[in-house]
Amino acid sequence: MSYVPLPIAEANIKKPRKRNEEDEANQLLPSSPASSSPRRDPDLDPDPDPDVAPPFSWKKLWLFTGPGFLMSIAFLNPGNLEGDLQAGAIAGYSLLWLLLWATLMGLLLQMLSARLGVVTGRHLAELCREEYPNWARLVLWAMAEVTLIAADIQEVIGSAIGIWVLSHGAVPLWAGVVITAFDCFMFLFLENYGVRKLEAVFAVLISTMALTFAGMFADTKPSGTELLTGLLIPRLSSKTIRQAVGVVGCVITPHNVFLHSALVQSREVDHQSKGRIQEALNYYNIDSSIALVVMFTINLLVTSVFAKGFYGSEEAQSIGLANAGHYLQKKYGGGFFPILYIWGVGLLAAGQSSTITGTYAGQFIMGGFLNLRIKKWLRSTISRSLAIVPTIIVAVVFNTSEASLDILNEWLNLLQCIQIPFALIPLLTMVSKEQLMGSFTIGPLLQRVAWTVAAILIMINGYLLLDFFISEVKGLLVGFIVCAFTTAYVAFIVYLLQYGNVLYSKWINSVSSKFSRSRS
């Protein structure tokens, strides 16, 4: 298996001598992490039992910290901000509980993705190439690319809107798109000077988002009582269903499932030792949990700000990424640092960080599904071009109307939600497969929980398709095309479930038999 170095701390934690942080961060991995049995550093690893995870170490946690935070950036991209502000403005605090549960579901799925990557030494796209027939692999790759392009359009346009806001409209949207399109190459260039420097840039971007949106929260002073009520008491009305679906769709992103299974391979793990594998899983679970707590808090702040400022107002239905800063400025005024600029800086940081991680996800998806063996810069160029050309077209077409841009963002969120089964079903199939995972196969209880989460998300997809039929399909020809697409969509989901073999079916059969016995 060829390995593309990742833009995170490449920490080899089992070298026989002490090194400084930069040495640890820049240590490259062998071509096959599963094939090597690296030596242990006695300062970090005091001769443990190979079948038992070593005791917790803060130093080891620091060395494993990184992939979870890069993964978590997808939980706060411009699409998320669009979903947050619309949920707050239209539904008030009532969807905060859904944001919480969507984040918890996302955490479970990302932990399973990390588990797959650590245990097998391969990421999800590679495993799909190996496990599925060629035609199914190509369909999965096409679906993953569509999702990635939809996410990248949001991320790049979000960055462009941030530039437009901060420049008071002097830099048009299409120019902001061009500027943002090339930022990933700047970051790849920065990686040549040490990945710790690249990590520092990501830390600055995440800190910027946290500080700016926390500043907005402090300026607007949302109600603590209503916030807690929204978190703890589930509420959903027919008027807020689309916003609710958008919240779920923009929190759980399919390309992020592929990405995390690759990011965790940046740390070398002794695959001959069950204890070492379990140790890595423990640290990655902590890393992911802390990162998603941070991202959930930021999403919560944004939703609360717009719930406080615009819920029940005339502007609620028209507010979006492009005009949100102006509405905030009009509502809350200037101050020492005008809230318009706070919003612009936070939006730009969200767009820049998520654009870079999206580029890396594109590399792994393309390389894994198609088994490409090309240089990293060329792979970045190809994956970037696949997304940037439609993004520029979208920027030119939709630049004339803020309302049309907001509608585009909303439907891009929904498009990503529709693609979720094509990442989740392969993931759950792989982590439940004993031939791949060995003793690290997930147990029956976790299987049931994970498949329940997937079933909930697939049912949400069903609602989206039904809503699309009712509201958008007009005319016999269009209706026929959409029916054909929907039939193919459902048939492929059923195929993936059957191909994944009986784990899901066994659970359904066990539930059915228990229900039958209770009736008799």
Side-chain angles (χ1 to χ4, degrees):
M1 178 184 73
S2 69
Y3 179 80
V4 181
L6 307 185
I8 55 181
E10 314 255 354
N12 183 348
I13 60 177
K14 300 179 176 67
K15 287 288 180 180
R17 62 181 180 85
K18 290 184 178 180
R19 297 147 297 158
N20 58 34
E21 281 191 3
E22 192 68 24
D23 290 335
E24 291 170 341
N26 290 308
Q27 175 68 39
L28 296 181
L29 302 184
S31 61
S32 177
S35 65
S36 61
S37 181
R39 290 171 289 177
R40 297 186 176 91
D41 184 341
D43 294 330
L44 292 176
D45 306 310
D47 195 24
D49 183 334
D51 291 330
V52 178
F56 177 82
S57 164
W58 287 104
K59 187 173 183 179
K60 292 283 285 291
L61 177 61
W62 169 247
L63 293 179
F64 277 98
T65 297
F69 279 88
L70 291 187
M71 167 276 297
S72 70
I73 287 172
F75 284 68
L76 197 73
N77 60 26
N80 287 74
L81 296 180
E82 177 84 8
D84 290 340
L85 67 88
Q86 290 187 346
I90 296 173
Y93 301 91
S94 66
L95 295 181
L96 291 180
W97 67 274
L98 187 60
L99 176 63
L100 172 62
W101 282 100
T103 304
L104 291 175
M105 288 191 291
L107 176 60
L108 170 64
L109 297 172
Q110 296 302 150
M111 284 181 173
L112 293 178
S113 176
R115 187 185 191 94
L116 182 69
V118 170
V119 173
T120 65
R122 291 166 288 174
H123 56 81
L124 181 56
E126 291 175 319
L127 290 169
C128 287
R129 185 188 74 237
E130 296 170 5
E131 295 292 325
Y132 288 104
N134 281 337
W135 72 269
R137 168 179 61 88
L138 292 175
V139 173
L140 287 172
W141 171 65
M143 294 297 101
E145 288 291 352
V146 166
T147 304
L148 195 61
I149 290 172
D152 213 21
I153 289 174
Q154 287 182 318
E155 292 156 1
V156 174
I157 287 184
S159 292
I161 291 174
I163 295 171
W164 178 76
V165 169
L166 294 174
S167 67
H168 280 285
V171 180
L173 198 61
W174 67 266
V177 168
V178 173
I179 293 170
T180 306
F182 296 99
D183 62 359
C184 67
F185 297 107
M186 177 188 70
F187 282 91
L188 287 174
F189 177 76
L190 180 63
E191 186 184 1
N192 294 327
Y193 292 91
V195 291
R196 282 294 187 190
K197 294 180 177 62
L198 188 62
E199 280 189 314
V201 171
F202 276 96
V204 168
L205 291 171
I206 293 173
S207 300
T208 300
M209 288 187 279
L211 290 174
T212 51
F213 296 131
M216 287 171 48
F217 186 87
D219 280 350
T220 56
K221 299 180 177 63
S223 168
T225 302
E226 292 188 63
L227 191 153
L228 286 175
T229 301
L231 276 174
L232 300 176
I233 301 177
R235 290 175 291 170
L236 187 63
S237 71
S238 58
K239 297 179 180 179
T240 61
I241 289 180
R242 179 166 288 191
Q243 284 70 42
V245 171
V247 167
V248 177
C250 62
V251 167
I252 301 174
T253 52
H255 72 275
N256 210 35
V257 175
F258 288 96
L259 175 65
H260 200 195
S261 64
L263 290 176
V264 294
Q265 295 176 48
S266 62
R267 270 66 166 172
E268 189 172 313
V269 177
D270 182 0
H271 284 73
Q272 306 303 315
S273 168
K274 292 181 181 179
R276 292 294 167 181
I277 295 175
Q278 186 59 57
E279 177 191 42
L281 293 176
N282 293 341
Y283 286 124
Y284 281 134
N285 288 344
I286 295 172
D287 177 38
S288 300
S289 299
I290 294 173
L292 288 194
V293 166
V294 173
M295 292 305 169
F296 168 73
T297 303
I298 297 174
N299 279 303
L300 180 69
L301 296 177
V302 176
T303 304
S304 301
V305 164
F306 286 91
K308 165 69 175 180
F310 304 101
Y311 177 58
S313 67
E314 294 180 0
E315 301 96 339
Q317 296 292 335
S318 59
I319 194 167
L321 284 180
N323 57 21
H326 296 287
Y327 279 126
L328 288 168
Q329 183 78 0
K330 181 180 177 181
K331 184 85 174 179
Y332 297 104
F336 176 75
F337 192 65
I339 198 169
L340 170 67
Y341 297 112
I342 296 176
W343 168 254
V345 170
L347 179 58
L348 181 59
Q352 291 289 321
S353 55
S354 56
T355 298
I356 299 161
T357 56
T359 299
Y360 279 98
Q363 292 183 51
F364 290 117
I365 288 171
M366 179 178 291
F369 276 110
L370 303 183
N371 196 25
L372 295 180
R373 296 289 186 267
I374 58 178
K375 293 182 179 179
K376 182 171 63 174
W377 67 267
L378 182 57
R379 187 179 299 179
S380 297
T381 302
I382 295 173
S383 60
R384 193 97 208 104
S385 301
L386 283 175
I388 206 60
V389 172
T391 303
I392 292 176
I393 295 172
V394 164
V396 172
V397 171
F398 287 89
N399 192 35
T400 57
S401 168
E402 292 178 354
S404 60
L405 194 60
D406 294 335
I407 292 171
L408 170 70
N409 261 318
E410 184 179 345
W411 280 105
L412 288 174
N413 278 338
L414 300 181
L415 175 62
Q416 292 176 73
C417 192
I418 290 174
Q419 303 295 330
I420 283 174
F422 306 128
L424 296 195
I425 295 175
L427 172 66
L428 298 185
T429 298
M430 304 297 179
V431 294
S432 303
K433 197 168 186 178
E434 192 171 355
Q435 296 93 321
L436 278 177
M437 303 293 290
S439 61
F440 290 94
T441 306
I442 60 174
L445 177 60
L446 186 54
Q447 286 179 31
R448 294 175 185 180
V449 172
W451 279 112
T452 299
V453 169
I456 291 171
L457 296 174
I458 291 173
M459 285 190 288
I460 290 175
N461 298 334
Y463 165 79
L464 287 178
L465 291 174
L466 180 63
D467 183 66
F468 183 83
F469 269 124
I470 295 172
S471 61
E472 300 294 332
V473 175
K474 296 178 177 64
L476 185 61
L477 178 61
V478 175
F480 175 78
I481 294 172
V482 172
C483 280
F485 170 80
T486 304
T487 301
Y489 174 83
V490 173
F492 191 56
I493 290 176
V494 171
Y495 168 80
L496 292 177
L497 289 171
Q498 289 182 336
Y499 193 87
N501 228 346
V502 230
L503 291 168
Y504 182 73
S505 302
K506 279 182 178 178
W507 175 47
I508 294 295
N509 292 336
S510 67
V511 172
S512 300
S513 62
K514 288 178 182 178
F515 179 73
S516 300
R517 285 198 301 270
S518 65
R519 288 183 57 121
S520 60

